[in-house]
Amino acid sequence: ASGQVPGLAVGIVKDGELVYAKGFGVTELGSDQPVTPDTVFHMGSVAKTPTAVAIMQLVAEGKIDLDAPLTEYLPYFTLADPDLGEVTIRRLLSHTAGMPDPIDWLAEYQDENLPNDEAALDNYVRSLGDQSLTYQPGEDWSYSGTGFDILGDVVAQVSGQTFEDYLQANVLTPLGMENSSYLLSDLDPAQLALPHLLDENGNAKTIDFYPYTRAHAPSGAFYSSINDMARFAIANINQGELDGVRVLPASAYEEMWTPQAASTWAESFGPQVTNYGLGWWVGEFQGHPLIGNYGTEYGFQSHLGLFPNEGMAVIALVNLFDPEAGSFYAYDIGNGIAELLLNAE
């Protein structure tokens, strides 16, 4: 109520089961459409984790080497820097490649002529030639959505499929995530939560655009629900297996969940984001190891926190985010629920 959040969905996983799933509020202000565990939210940067799973699948198949230069898979990739040999797949996955992040998200969302065809991702990656590395690869850490868009292009080029088709066939469908997609056009509009931000008086209002650009699907354009994200959470707590279907070798998690670099975000957001692995934050919460990913987008926030030692996960999704206000309600709610559960007798 204090945050003017129109709608919230919460899921709690324990020991391989979704033990709590509930929606609160509405999908759009002024409507009577309730949020449910099947309501589809924009997941923002949580998109990066299935992208990382896709990369690790191709690593397991011997088609990608984590420590190979990016240009081995995208020979056409260029920046203004002449030597990109130290820009590796591992460094892109861990935000240590020095990759710039030149995206003007708002301008793209409001551009009615923005291309969203199959070539959008590859064309974006090819358009980066006038950009420069922000530091020498491996020498620092900085969050880069662009780095994950580039990884999505690697998935497409190595697999011979579009990024979205590969993720659908190899991650989402095998895990039974029936209402999830990286393609907005594949979703049922009636199931979508709509985005909201705050007006000049601090009151929530529906945004007059829906945040989607196909060029940035791998880093941020992923859509899912509580019921589907619970399946994803269980599969990852099980180290790659769900209902007898294995999407990733268990050995991949030793790589993914090993800290690759200390982040600069812990001072602002707490020990939950102390380190970054490969597509996952690696931290702790009240002394409990925590593996997670967290997203913000114009009008949406998402929280996915896994507590592997407890066999527990907490998922929180809300349909309000205002970048200027900077209130992280999904993160606060997810952490608050985790605190209640971890301290419960």
Side-chain angles (χ1 to χ4, degrees):
S2 64
Q4 299 282 316
V5 173
L8 159 71
V10 169
I12 299 167
V13 164
K14 178 65 175 172
D15 296 335
E17 300 289 338
L18 178 59
V19 296
Y20 180 92
K22 190 171 181 180
F24 302 85
V26 293
T27 60
E28 180 184 11
L29 275 177
S31 82
D32 58 0
Q33 184 69 34
V35 172
T36 76
D38 283 321
T39 298
V40 174
F41 288 75
H42 194 308
M43 300 298 296
S45 282
V46 172
K48 294 178 174 66
T49 296
T51 298
V53 169
I55 289 284
M56 297 305 289
Q57 287 177 334
L58 295 166
V59 169
E61 293 173 15
K63 296 178 180 178
I64 290 177
D65 180 344
L66 282 175
D67 296 307
L70 167 65
T71 51
E72 184 170 319
Y73 307 103
L74 304 183
Y76 49 80
F77 182 78
T78 60
L79 294 176
D81 307 80
D83 183 8
L84 300 178
E86 296 302 311
V87 177
T88 64
I89 302 300
R90 181 188 300 276
R91 286 173 174 158
L92 288 167
L93 279 171
S94 58
H95 298 294
T96 58
M99 196 57 59
D101 215 12
I103 305 166
D104 185 340
W105 294 99
L106 186 59
E108 293 200 11
Y109 293 146
Q110 295 179 323
D111 182 357
E112 295 180 357
N113 299 313
L114 192 72
N116 282 316
D117 58 0
E118 286 189 2
L121 172 59
D122 191 55
N123 286 342
Y124 170 68
V125 171
R126 291 174 184 264
S127 76
L128 296 168
D130 62 345
Q131 299 292 317
S132 297
L133 292 172
T134 57
Y135 54 82
Q136 190 63 24
E139 293 188 358
D140 204 346
W141 182 92
S142 62
Y143 199 82
S144 174
T146 295
F148 270 75
D149 293 333
I150 293 167
L151 289 168
D153 200 26
V154 171
V155 169
Q157 298 302 328
V158 170
S159 70
Q161 300 175 261
T162 66
F163 167 79
E164 296 91 348
D165 284 351
Y166 180 90
L167 266 290
Q168 193 67 53
N170 294 277
V171 180
L172 305 181
T173 295
L175 294 180
M177 299 172 69
E178 297 179 354
N179 296 317
S180 300
S181 180
Y182 278 86
L183 271 176
L184 185 59
S185 59
D186 280 357
L187 298 167
D188 179 357
Q191 287 190 298
L192 291 176
L194 293 186
H196 301 80
L197 47 67
L198 302 178
D199 65 18
E200 60 274 9
N201 297 316
N203 297 314
K205 66 174 183 178
T206 307
I207 304 177
D208 60 4
F209 61 86
Y210 194 91
Y212 173 71
T213 65
R214 189 167 180 178
H216 308 307
S219 68
F222 176 50
Y223 307 89
S224 193
S225 66
I226 286 295
N227 282 336
D228 279 7
M229 288 308 297
R231 297 185 65 80
F232 186 72
I234 294 166
N236 283 284
I237 291 173
N238 291 346
Q239 301 208 327
E241 187 271 334
L242 178 66
D243 295 342
V245 175
R246 178 162 291 282
V247 295
L248 205 57
S251 58
Y253 287 84
E254 186 173 344
E255 292 265 19
M256 295 176 77
W257 292 355
T258 294
Q260 304 289 312
S263 89
T264 57
W265 288 14
E267 185 173 337
S268 299
F269 296 105
Q272 299 93 310
V273 293
T274 299
N275 299 291
Y276 203 87
L278 300 179
W280 293 89
W281 293 97
V282 181
E284 60 92 17
F285 184 73
Q286 298 195 350
H288 299 264
L290 171 62
I291 307 294
N293 213 333
Y294 318 101
T296 59
E297 186 48 90
Y298 281 92
F300 292 99
Q301 299 171 51
S302 55
H303 176 102
L304 171 64
L306 309 185
F307 294 86
N309 291 0
E310 286 73 31
M312 186 181 91
V314 179
I315 307 153
L317 311 174
V318 302
N319 60 348
L320 179 141
F321 181 68
D322 190 316
E324 292 187 14
S327 298
F328 299 93
Y329 297 116
Y331 192 64
D332 294 340
I333 290 165
N335 288 334
I337 291 169
E339 182 173 13
L340 289 172
L341 296 172
L342 293 170
N343 290 333
E345 292 297 330

